[in-house]
Amino acid sequence: MATEPELLERITVRADVFGGKPIIRDMRIAVEHVLGMLAAGDSAETILDEYPVLEREDIQACLLFAHRSIAGEDVHERVPVHES
C-alpha cells in the first residue's frame, strides 16, 4: 500500500494542461473529473474500466488530495508543478 507522500506524488500540476488544474501522473486526466465520477456514484472499478491507464492508487491519490485540500492544507506545495 502506498504512503500518503507516494500517493500525492501521483498528482501533478502543469500550467499548459487544463489551466493548471491538478492532474493524475502528468496525464490529461483531471483530479476533479475522477472526483466528479465518484460523486456521481461511479465505483472505482467503473473508473478503472473506463480509463485503463489509471491505477487504483490514482483514485486514492485523488481522494487524498481532496481531503487535504478541504482540510485547509496547502497541497499544491506537495505536488510537482511543471512549467510549459
Side-chain angles (χ1 to χ4, degrees), residues 67-81:
H67 169 72
R68 293 283 182 93
S69 296
I70 290 172
E73 295 185 29
D74 193 0
V75 183
H76 290 284
E77 288 186 2
R78 298 179 186 205
V79 298
V81 176

Side-chain angles (χ1 to χ4, degrees), residues 26-57:
D26 213 26
M27 298 183 288
R28 292 185 176 272
I29 302 173
V31 169
E32 74 177 275
H33 180 70
V34 172
L35 293 172
M37 291 180 73
L38 291 168
D42 290 327
S43 68
E45 290 75 24
T46 297
I47 296 169
L48 295 172
D49 286 344
E50 289 187 24
Y51 295 92
V53 296
L54 291 180
E55 299 170 357
R56 187 164 298 278
E57 289 82 9

Side-chain angles (χ1 to χ4, degrees), residues 4-17 20-27 31 61 65 74-84:
E4 287 189 4
E6 290 171 335
L7 288 172
L8 288 176
E9 286 177 8
R10 291 173 169 269
I11 308 300
T12 57
V13 175
R14 288 184 43 190
D16 62 331
V17 178
K21 291 182 179 183
I23 57 176
I24 301 168
R25 288 188 290 127
D26 213 26
M27 298 183 288
V31 169
F65 184 87
D74 193 0
V75 183
H76 290 284
E77 288 186 2
R78 298 179 186 205
V79 298
V81 176
H82 303 281
E83 299 297 326
S84 54

